[in-house]
Amino acid sequence: MTDDINSTGYDIPPELQSQVAITTLDKIYNWGRRSSLWPMMFGLACCAIEMICTVASRFDFSRFGMEIMRPTPRQSDVMIVSGTVTKKMIPQIVRLYNQMPEPKYVVAMGACASGGGPFKEGYNVVSGVDKFVPVDVYIPGCPPTPQALLNGLISLQKKIDTQSIKSVRWYGKEPIEPIPVPILGPDIMDPREYAEIKKYTQEKLARQQAERIEDAEPVERKSAA
Ligand code: SF4
């Protein structure tokens, strides 16, 4: 353990090296978080089968500190989005993300979660979960193998190693606003884009009205003659 957190440049006597560590606050803080990442237990499609394999005995990601998959977002640190993100599902994903406490991380597992995958142009599919929640690590593949998921999770640990307690968002002065939950109607609507949608709809209606007046004018003139 001391090897993981020791800062270089200190001459610790060999007999004490397994008991004494000289380190920084950032290092020990990051080490604590990266060594106890608890993933949330949910899967969306075929990629989830590979995720289940990664948890099981052959690959066993508890070796990396991901000991328990939590069945509630309130006890989870990492959301593994494993599978196709449909428009029907994205409001639930955003709600679960909002319910996770900080610090929290998101892993997009596979082509579907990263960009829509083979269903990218589908009428019911969101082309990438990062359109709604911030993604920390993308794992390519359809589906990614358990080894690829492990590699993605190790990459996430490396990313955590570079964070500093001075700049992490959860200790910032500003409160962290939850992500507005998208609304599922005839299509999915992101509340953050309301102003843009309103402007587009108003312009479209004005265009249609102008076209209707243009079409109606010759008929009116004809009937007046
Ligand atoms: S990336 Fe491939 S394996 Fe994963 S959910 Fe999509 S279609 Fe299924």
Side-chain angles (χ1 to χ4, degrees), residues 45-47 83-84 110-112 118-119 141-143:
C46 7
C47 274
T84 318
C112 282
F119 313 111
C142 176

Side-chain angles (χ1 to χ4, degrees), residues 134-177:
V135 172
D136 295 282
V137 175
Y138 297 85
I139 304 174
C142 176
T145 57
Q147 292 92 331
L149 177 57
L150 280 179
N151 187 51
L153 291 168
I154 292 168
S155 305
L156 177 62
Q157 289 184 317
K158 285 184 183 158
K159 186 174 178 178
I160 293 172
D161 284 340
T162 63
Q163 291 185 317
S164 170
I165 207 164
K166 285 187 215 142
S167 56
V168 287
R169 65 173 181 262
W170 51 93
Y171 290 139
K173 286 194 179 126
E174 300 300 321
I176 301 172
E177 294 299 331

Side-chain angles (χ1 to χ4, degrees), residues 11-219:
D11 203 10
I12 301 173
E15 67 276 15
L16 291 179
Q17 276 175 9
S18 58
Q19 289 111 38
V20 174
I22 298 176
T23 188
T24 61
L25 190 57
D26 271 346
K27 257 193 179 173
I28 198 151
Y29 177 72
N30 290 341
W31 173 81
R33 281 180 302 117
R34 54 106 75 198
S35 308
S36 59
L37 285 171
W38 288 0
M40 182 156 60
M41 187 158 42
F42 91 114
L44 295 176
C46 7
C47 274
I49 303 297
E50 300 298 318
M51 180 182 69
I52 294 163
C53 295
T54 318
V55 187
S57 54
R58 182 162 177 203
F59 296 97
D60 186 17
F61 69 21
S62 62
R63 290 178 294 146
F64 301 90
M66 290 140 206
E67 197 61 43
I68 325 173
M69 288 199 105
R70 303 308 301 169
T72 161
R74 299 187 198 284
Q75 296 171 355
S76 305
D77 303 297
V78 52
M79 173 188 258
I80 302 173
V81 184
S82 55
T84 318
V85 181
T86 58
K87 289 179 180 170
K88 198 173 179 183
M89 202 61 196
I90 192 70
Q92 279 61 257
I93 295 175
V94 172
R95 193 169 294 120
L96 288 171
Y97 177 82
N98 286 337
Q99 287 174 352
M100 288 167 71
E102 292 282 357
K104 55 188 169 188
Y105 305 94
V106 178
V107 173
M109 179 183 181
C112 282
S114 302
F119 313 111
K120 188 173 170 62
E121 305 299 335
Y123 70 96
N124 61 335
V125 170
V126 174
S127 50
V129 74
D130 59 359
K131 299 239 177 319
F132 292 91
V133 294
V135 172
D136 295 282
V137 175
Y138 297 85
I139 304 174
C142 176
T145 57
Q147 292 92 331
L149 177 57
L150 280 179
N151 187 51
L153 291 168
I154 292 168
S155 305
L156 177 62
Q157 289 184 317
K158 285 184 183 158
K159 186 174 178 178
I160 293 172
D161 284 340
T162 63
Q163 291 185 317
S164 170
I165 207 164
K166 285 187 215 142
S167 56
V168 287
R169 65 173 181 262
W170 51 93
Y171 290 139
K173 286 194 179 126
E174 300 300 321
I176 301 172
E177 294 299 331
I179 295 173
V181 176
I183 294 158
L184 179 66
D187 203 347
I188 197 81
M189 266 212 297
D190 187 340
R192 291 170 295 187
E193 290 170 358
Y194 271 175
E196 222 171 295
I197 295 169
K198 196 172 167 191
K199 189 170 161 230
Y200 173 80
T201 314
Q202 280 170 346
E203 282 172 4
K204 194 175 166 189
L205 284 174
R207 249 193 335 268
Q208 282 172 347
Q209 212 168 355
E211 276 168 18
R212 262 204 302 276
I213 291 168
E214 244 171 59
D215 289 348
E217 263 181 1
V219 181

